[in-house]
């Protein structure tokens, strides 16, 4: 795995160095994404206290690489949380562009949001601790995801597919409440309940 700080220095001047540095930075971003994807998968399977060696094995790197990017477990948990929020945020515009209708895009995005909420697997409890690094994460979550949900709702409203009397924050909070405890009870299908909620937004034909 390429190290984030490695930059090959060319002997022919600054221009060669600049050209070499750019791919390295891109490699570092890809490598960090691989680490965060691996950590998220292990957290889902084993919880946030899973051994770092398990995450390293999933990512195909040594444990020293994990600690170089994330010196403490709190750093790793914050990194995973932010990474998953970013993935959910970036999916909104992509779904709006690729789905047959805005309402379909909204439904698919809500599915991703449910996945995020249900598979946090211990993150919620950890994020309620008094660790200073966790304090701003809820605001970050809202700042990134509420505008995305708002855009999807506005598009579905403009297309005439749904009612216009529900805000993004209300919808996200309602979905979140339906997902409480779903990860610990196989008899409870949060996704099915959320689908009924989203179905209730539709205007009658």
């Amino acid at each position: 795995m390429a190290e984030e700080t490695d930059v090959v220095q060319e002997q022919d001047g600054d221009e060669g160095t600049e050209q070499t540095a750019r791919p390295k930075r891109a490699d570092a971003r890809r490598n960090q994404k691989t680490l965060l994807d691996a950590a998220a998968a292990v957290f889902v399977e084993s919880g946030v206290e899973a051994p770092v060696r398990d995450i390293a094995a999933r990512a195909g790197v040594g444990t020293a690489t994990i600690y170089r990017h994330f010196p403490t477990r709190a750093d790793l948990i914050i990194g995973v949380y932010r990474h998953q929020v970013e993935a959910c945020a970036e999916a909104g515009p992509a779904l709006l562009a690729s789905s047959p209708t805005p309402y379909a895009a909204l439904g698919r995005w809500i599915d991703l949001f449910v996945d995020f909420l249900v598979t946090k697997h211990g993150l919620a409890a950890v994020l309620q601790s008094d660790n200073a690094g966790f304090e701003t994460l809820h605001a970050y979550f809202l700042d990134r995801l509420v505008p995305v949900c708002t855009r999807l709702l506005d598009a579905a409203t403009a297309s005439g597919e749904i009612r216009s009397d529900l805000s993004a924050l209300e919808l996200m909070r309602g979905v979140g409440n339906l997902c409480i405890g779903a990860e610990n009870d196989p008899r409870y299908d949060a996704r099915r309940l959320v689908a009924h909620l989203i179905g209730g937004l539709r205007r009658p034909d």
Side-chain angles (χ1 to χ4, degrees), residues 65-80:
T65 300
I66 303 285
Y67 286 119
R68 183 167 60 250
H69 287 279
F70 305 102
T72 69
R73 185 171 296 271
D75 293 329
L76 181 58
I77 291 169
I78 290 170
V80 168

Side-chain angles (χ1 to χ4, degrees), residues 20 27 31-33 36 41 56 89 92 94 156 159 175 177 185 203:
T20 306
D27 286 346
N31 292 338
Q32 189 170 70
K33 180 181 183 301
L36 292 170
S159 69
V175 171
N177 286 339
D185 188 352
R203 289 182 179 276

Side-chain angles (χ1 to χ4, degrees), residues 5-56:
T5 56
D6 285 348
V7 177
V8 176
Q9 298 292 329
E10 297 286 346
Q11 299 300 318
D12 297 331
D14 292 341
E15 184 177 355
T17 300
E18 177 69 16
Q19 291 174 348
T20 306
R22 286 174 180 169
K24 286 292 183 178
R25 287 195 292 269
D27 286 346
R29 288 193 295 271
R30 285 193 295 270
N31 292 338
Q32 189 170 70
K33 180 181 183 301
T34 298
L35 291 181
L36 292 170
D37 285 340
V42 172
F43 285 172
V44 169
E45 294 171 0
S46 306
V48 295
E49 296 301 324
V52 171
R53 63 178 178 274
D54 292 353
I55 297 170

